[in-house]
Amino acid sequence: MSAASSTVAASTGTLLSRVGPHLPGLALNALAFLVGLAIWWAITAAKLVVLPGPQEVFVRAIELAANGQLALDIFSSLKRVLTGFLLGAALAIPVGFLMGWYKIARALIEPYVQFFRMIPPLAVIPLAIVTMGIDEAPKIFVIFLASFLSCVVATYQGVISVDRTLINAARVLGASDRVIFPRVVIPASTPFILVGVRIGLGSAWATVVAAELIAAQSGLGFRMQQAQLYYDLPTIFVSLITIGVLGLLMDRLLQATERRLTSWQERAQ
């Protein structure tokens, strides 16, 4: 690293250390966004890589929004992601509780869960096409599988990680399993479950692009595949950024939910 680069890095670090504590989180997020945008502009302006610049991508986004393609693609991808993700999480949480609380259920279910975890959800696409056709079902199934496998492991880990002292103390006080489970196990495992839900959401968005290869007519992944055929880099960037923004907003909602449901938990500042 050159002396100039070291000086800039040191100055930036000093500035962030002085200003950071006094800026709210959203302001720091905005600052990070502007810095990233400036770096992107500088790289493309210097022609260090063959990529479209921010202005070109913004113009293409306006064009896609004006002709309705962007809204249609967002709606199609969101519908697939939310359907597969919600189905996966809704099934994963009770299955994870069963595995964690009952040894018999764990012995019966865990081998299948671990087996399918070793198989990438994208590898299931050919089987999904053959067995379910080329309609919406195989797309949603692949997203469901990716979400389910992420959530079920986190839920199971949360249940088995509950402090046995809490459970034993509740039993000493005369509480039955019907009381212990909702009053002790579920609250104590909630942080693990919510982490798994966030990971499952990320898996759903990561899978939707490949899922939309299955004879889709709309969707952000479909639009990227079409743009690839014509080397339309601005359209690819618009779809990528849109997926990132939607995923980030949904993750922020989950974080807010997590803070509300786990307000009793001590957090690092």
Side-chain angles (χ1 to χ4, degrees):
M1 182 181 293
S2 64
S5 300
S6 301
T7 302
V8 171
S11 301
T12 303
T14 303
L15 178 63
L16 290 176
S17 63
R18 291 179 179 176
V19 177
H22 304 287
L23 286 177
L26 288 177
L28 289 173
N29 290 160
L31 177 62
F33 170 76
L34 292 175
V35 170
L37 197 64
I39 293 174
W40 179 16
W41 175 84
I43 290 175
T44 54
K47 297 182 179 180
L48 298 178
V49 291
V50 184
L51 292 176
Q55 183 178 359
E56 188 177 355
V57 173
F58 179 75
V59 170
R60 181 55 55 86
I62 296 298
E63 293 174 353
L64 293 173
N67 62 24
Q69 282 187 351
L70 186 58
L72 177 61
D73 291 337
I74 289 174
F75 174 77
S76 299
S77 292
L78 265 178
K79 181 177 68 173
R80 291 166 185 145
V81 166
L82 288 176
T83 303
F85 165 70
L86 292 175
L87 288 174
L91 180 61
I93 292 173
V95 170
F97 279 137
L98 283 174
M99 290 171 55
W101 192 248
Y102 297 106
K103 292 183 179 180
I104 294 177
R106 183 186 313 174
L108 292 173
I109 300 173
E110 186 183 16
Y112 288 100
V113 171
Q114 298 301 334
F115 172 80
F116 282 106
R117 280 187 65 229
M118 299 301 108
I119 301 175
L122 303 185
V124 182
I125 288 179
L127 178 62
I129 294 174
V130 172
T131 57
M132 301 180 186
I134 58 175
D135 201 6
E136 289 297 300
K139 303 176 184 63
I140 292 174
F141 174 74
V142 173
I143 297 170
F144 156 81
L145 186 61
S147 303
F148 170 80
L149 292 173
S150 299
C151 294
V152 70
V153 173
T155 303
Y156 160 70
Q157 190 64 41
V159 174
I160 65 174
S161 298
V162 175
D163 191 348
R164 300 299 302 181
T165 303
L166 299 176
I167 297 175
N168 293 332
R171 284 180 174 153
V172 167
L173 294 173
S176 63
D177 283 356
R178 291 184 179 181
V179 176
I180 292 173
F181 198 78
R183 295 291 185 88
V184 178
V185 176
I186 292 180
S189 57
T190 295
F192 288 86
I193 296 171
L194 292 174
V195 169
V197 168
R198 291 179 63 190
I199 296 173
L201 178 62
S203 300
W205 276 110
T207 309
V208 70
V209 175
E212 289 178 344
L213 291 174
I214 309 174
Q217 298 301 317
S218 61
L220 296 167
F222 164 78
R223 193 65 54 196
M224 280 193 286
Q225 296 298 326
Q226 291 295 306
Q228 177 191 3
L229 299 177
Y230 302 101
Y231 204 69
D232 186 358
L233 290 178
T235 298
I236 294 176
F237 265 71
V238 170
S239 297
L240 284 173
I241 292 172
T242 303
I243 289 174
V245 170
L246 291 173
L248 180 62
L249 291 175
M250 293 172 71
D251 185 72
R252 287 291 184 266
L253 288 174
L254 286 176
Q255 279 186 318
T257 303
E258 180 183 5
R259 285 192 295 269
R260 187 177 183 85
L261 294 178
T262 61
S263 56
W264 49 267
Q265 189 180 32
E266 293 184 2
R267 299 176 183 274
Q269 299 296 325

